[in-house]
Amino acid sequence: MAKLKIGGTWAGVIDVVLDEWTVPMLRIEVAKRSNCGPESINLICAGKVLRDGDGTEKLAQLGVKNNARILASRGSVEEGKSLEEGLLAEEERSRRLSRVKAAATALAKRHADGSLPVEDFNIEVEDQSGQIVQLGSETDQRAVMMGLMLHANGKQLIRSENYKDALEVLTMGEEAFSLCNPKVIELIDNVPILQIDMVWCYFMLRDIRWLAVAGARLEKAREGIERAHGKDYSRVRLLQAGCHPELAIHLRLELLEGVVAYHNGEFDRSRKALTSAHAKYFQLQVPDEALSLVMSMGFKERDAKRALRMSNQDVGNAVDFLVEEKAKRAQKREEDIRRRTEIMEQKRYGMTPSKKAVDLNKLNELVSVGFEKELAAEALRRNENDFEKALDNLTNPEANSAIQVDIESRKRKRKQQASETAIEQLVRMGFERSRVVAALQAGATIEQAMHQLLSQSDSNPTVGADNSANSCAPILPDASGSSNDVGGPSTASEAEERDAEMEDALAGELAKGDALTDYDIEVTNEGEAINEYLALLESAGNSMEASRQ
């Protein structure tokens, strides 16, 4: 017998058997002593709300121990339901955030180390001109990919005004970037922009507790931005051919610096930052005439606004920008199609022993010197894409012959498996096994065999009569064939284990963006905040003036 010390609606000690009592039993006992209904009693132990669950879990299973203190509070049925719903929502939120992190980790690992893609796309790091870049080691590449995916998801949550979850995801992104060699990422602006986005979440949540942290983050962000863009924006101007894509990011940075300075009592510094942000805000306002002129050339409103903001409202430059962006998108689509084709080809060749894809560049090099493609792919697969070892195998008559024998053996095995599958399908449809085997051995496809067998059945009604009730439309085998036609372990188990829904969502968020997505900010909220804090500064100045008089 254990003792529980109850406080709250009723104070005292209750004797219980921890291995027998459940939460509903304890709730009823406390309610009885509190002279109220059990549905209005909430129980909390060690900071954890004790919930009924399915009513079978014992107190001992929930971690309640002898002499534990239980807080009993009284609330309405609606309050109890609200508490329960809130806890369930928090659990769901926690699960979703865990899924986001796990999916980003899995995607980054697969797409940074050369593994055979489960999907029909590759995630690759590009610079602002759209060129694929390799950033440092495999570990660095993985860290950057993960950081970029989490940052993209965080920005999507910001656009949805879900700042609490956005902050959690951005924190994960910051952790991912921290795993990368600082020298590798010091000349890119992704990390400082992430810092600015985190402080923006603090501001939109209006949580003053983050004030000190916000100041430190903004200092790091300014250092990183100036290092990446140049103090006078010279580097970004050069990369973007004279465009002004960075204005909105600098506006948000200066606004936040002004807010932090205001709350720290540094009014002069706050006024300077906010005044500069205010000037940039007006610079980013798109004139109706310019917008109408660009849209009259066939461009959508959102694209036209974006182009004008990034071109400092110059119509000619905005049109040039839009034409260039359209060409880049077309080129990107062609690259995506080419890469999907390559991935499908890699899947036919299978995986190396360490689960990597066959290197197509090395494969093409071997083919260019006269080796048959399927044979060369198998040599690379066996040798972990080691070109020299693969070449040694291909030029060694014995090794070459052994590879060919293995390829032919696997082809025969796959053909036999396909034949057995087809036989079973047709037999399940009610056809006699011996006739099915004869038809398929004669070289007929499953469709041809089925038509042949049906015609035989029409001429001989007794054939398959016993199974007529089981006849159904044919289930034809997948025309695309196996994803592992040449050899190597199958990726099916990986495909089953992956969180496809979350991974596809993360990859989709990246696919929708481009090199300038980070700079593409609608600054309506920023404009309102600037006016709000400039008014606060004006009020503070008037108060100080009045006190001096």
Side-chain angles (χ1 to χ4, degrees):
M1 188 73 69
K3 295 183 182 295
L4 298 181
K5 299 174 182 178
I6 311 298
T9 60
W10 175 81
V13 176
I14 296 179
D15 293 324
V16 302
V17 180
L18 295 175
D19 291 328
E20 295 179 5
W21 278 52
T22 62
V23 173
M25 291 169 64
L26 178 61
R27 192 188 309 281
I28 291 170
E29 187 63 31
V30 172
K32 190 187 302 178
R33 302 185 187 210
S34 304
N35 296 317
C36 64
E39 69 279 356
S40 65
I41 292 293
N42 296 319
L43 302 174
I44 301 174
C45 178
K48 177 182 176 182
V49 177
L50 299 180
R51 290 178 290 168
D52 293 353
D54 60 6
T56 63
E57 277 191 301
K58 311 304 183 211
L59 294 176
Q61 292 176 291
L62 296 172
V64 179
K65 298 179 180 179
N66 185 31
N67 290 320
R69 293 181 179 276
I70 308 288
L71 174 63
S73 61
R74 183 180 299 177
S76 65
V77 175
E78 289 72 21
E79 287 173 338
K81 288 181 179 178
S82 177
L83 177 63
E84 183 78 11
E85 290 170 359
L87 289 167
L88 290 173
E90 186 60 29
E91 285 184 4
E92 177 59 31
R93 172 178 175 271
S94 180
R95 278 196 295 272
R96 194 192 72 79
L97 291 172
S98 295
R99 286 179 63 203
V100 168
K101 185 174 184 179
T105 302
L107 277 171
K109 181 180 184 301
R110 284 206 305 275
H111 290 266
D113 66 0
S115 295
L116 185 66
V118 176
E119 315 87 350
D120 64 349
F121 59 83
N122 248 10
I123 296 174
E124 293 162 325
V125 180
E126 298 179 349
D127 61 18
Q128 289 187 345
S129 62
Q131 299 300 309
I132 296 172
V133 293
Q134 295 293 325
L135 294 173
S137 66
E138 181 182 308
T139 300
D140 295 331
Q141 192 84 352
R142 186 184 304 178
V144 170
M145 281 186 182
M146 187 174 174
L148 291 175
M149 280 185 279
L150 292 169
H151 192 186
N153 184 252
K155 287 187 291 188
Q156 188 275 325
L157 290 167
I158 288 174
R159 287 192 293 273
S160 303
E161 299 184 359
N162 186 351
Y163 300 108
K164 183 179 179 182
D165 283 4
L167 190 54
E168 292 273 4
V169 174
L170 292 172
T171 301
M172 296 178 199
E174 182 184 37
E175 291 172 0
F177 279 128
S178 72
L179 299 175
C180 188
N181 183 341
K183 294 292 183 184
V184 171
I185 57 174
E186 66 179 6
L187 290 179
I188 62 176
D189 59 11
N190 302 86
V191 178
I193 290 175
L194 181 141
Q195 297 277 352
I196 294 170
D197 286 340
M198 291 180 77
V199 179
W200 180 248
C201 289
Y202 299 159
F203 175 72
M204 295 304 289
L205 289 168
R206 301 288 173 155
D207 193 339
I208 199 69
R209 293 174 300 171
W210 293 104
L211 188 61
V213 179
R217 288 195 184 283
L218 292 175
E219 286 180 14
K220 289 182 181 178
R222 178 162 288 283
E223 290 172 5
I225 287 284
E226 290 181 350
R227 187 166 53 240
H229 292 179
K231 275 189 174 292
D232 56 355
Y233 317 145
S234 57
R235 187 174 291 114
V236 73
R237 289 283 190 279
L238 182 63
L239 285 171
Q240 296 301 329
C243 287
H244 300 67
E246 78 295 334
L247 276 180
I249 284 293
H250 285 268
L251 181 158
R252 183 176 280 183
L253 173 60
E254 290 175 348
L255 160 63
L256 295 171
E257 287 175 333
V259 170
V260 170
Y262 173 83
H263 287 291
N264 282 328
E266 301 172 358
F267 294 157
D268 289 341
R269 183 181 176 188
S270 176
R271 186 175 288 102
K272 181 180 178 182
L274 291 169
T275 301
S276 179
H278 199 238
K280 289 181 175 62
Y281 173 75
F282 278 110
Q283 195 175 345
L284 287 166
Q285 300 311 297
V286 176
D288 290 342
E289 298 81 3
L291 178 61
S292 176
L293 186 56
V294 175
M295 289 178 63
S296 70
M297 299 179 192
F299 298 106
K300 295 180 180 177
E301 180 180 358
R302 186 186 182 285
D303 294 336
K305 280 185 176 180
R306 180 185 196 231
L308 286 164
R309 284 200 304 265
M310 294 191 178
S311 303
N312 202 23
Q313 317 305 336
D314 185 292
V315 172
N317 286 341
V319 172
D320 290 343
F321 174 88
L322 288 165
V323 170
E324 185 179 346
E325 288 296 294
K326 185 177 180 180
K328 284 181 180 179
R329 285 195 295 271
Q331 183 181 355
K332 185 69 166 57
R333 283 194 295 271
E334 291 178 4
E335 284 294 316
D336 288 343
I337 293 170
R338 180 190 62 78
R339 185 58 188 130
R340 280 196 293 270
T341 303
E342 289 180 348
I343 290 171
M344 295 307 296
E345 181 181 359
Q346 286 176 311
K347 288 184 177 182
R348 291 203 306 273
Y349 300 140
M351 295 184 290
T352 70
S354 64
K355 312 292 187 191
K356 301 293 193 297
V358 169
D359 188 315
L360 292 184
N361 290 329
K362 293 178 180 178
L363 174 59
N364 291 332
E365 194 173 344
L366 288 171
V367 171
S368 70
V369 296
F371 293 106
E372 193 270 326
K373 198 167 193 177
E374 192 175 22
L375 192 64
E378 176 61 12
L380 284 168
R381 189 193 70 78
R382 290 180 171 208
N383 292 286
E384 291 290 356
N385 288 313
D386 188 308
F387 183 87
E388 295 301 327
K389 289 182 179 179
L391 186 60
D392 289 343
N393 282 174
L394 292 168
T395 54
N396 182 310
E398 292 183 4
N400 187 304
S401 177
I403 293 173
Q404 292 188 53
V405 168
D406 281 352
I407 291 174
E408 290 303 317
S409 174
R410 281 197 296 273
K411 283 182 177 178
R412 285 195 299 273
K413 184 177 179 181
R414 284 195 303 276
K415 186 176 180 181
Q416 181 180 351
Q417 289 173 340
S419 177
E420 290 173 353
T421 300
I423 289 171
E424 293 305 319
Q425 284 182 356
L426 291 171
V427 168
R428 285 197 300 272
M429 291 169 63
F431 298 112
E432 187 181 334
R433 182 178 292 274
S434 60
R435 292 178 179 274
V436 170
V437 172
L440 290 172
Q441 285 181 343
T445 64
I446 188 170
E447 296 95 333
Q448 292 168 340
M450 182 180 64
H451 290 307
Q452 179 182 332
L453 292 164
L454 286 170
S455 63
Q456 290 174 355
S457 299
D458 290 340
S459 61
N460 183 5
T462 62
V463 176
D466 292 341
N467 294 304
S468 60
N470 296 323
S471 68
C472 59
I475 304 173
L476 303 181
D478 184 359
S480 63
S482 167
S483 64
N484 204 33
D485 289 344
V486 174
S490 170
T491 60
S493 61
E494 289 184 36
E496 290 169 3
E497 291 171 7
R498 64 184 282 251
D499 185 346
E501 181 185 10
M502 187 58 72
E503 288 184 9
D504 290 347
L506 289 177
E509 285 163 7
L510 279 183
K512 285 186 287 187
D514 56 33
L516 297 177
T517 298
D518 282 340
Y519 307 104
D520 189 14
I521 301 173
E522 283 287 347
V523 294
T524 303
N525 288 334
E526 284 82 352
E528 292 173 357
I530 290 169
N531 289 330
E532 175 189 349
Y533 274 85
L534 284 174
L536 288 172
L537 284 170
E538 183 69 23
S539 176
N542 292 338
S543 297
M544 291 173 65
E545 185 67 26
S547 65
R548 281 197 293 267
Q549 292 175 354

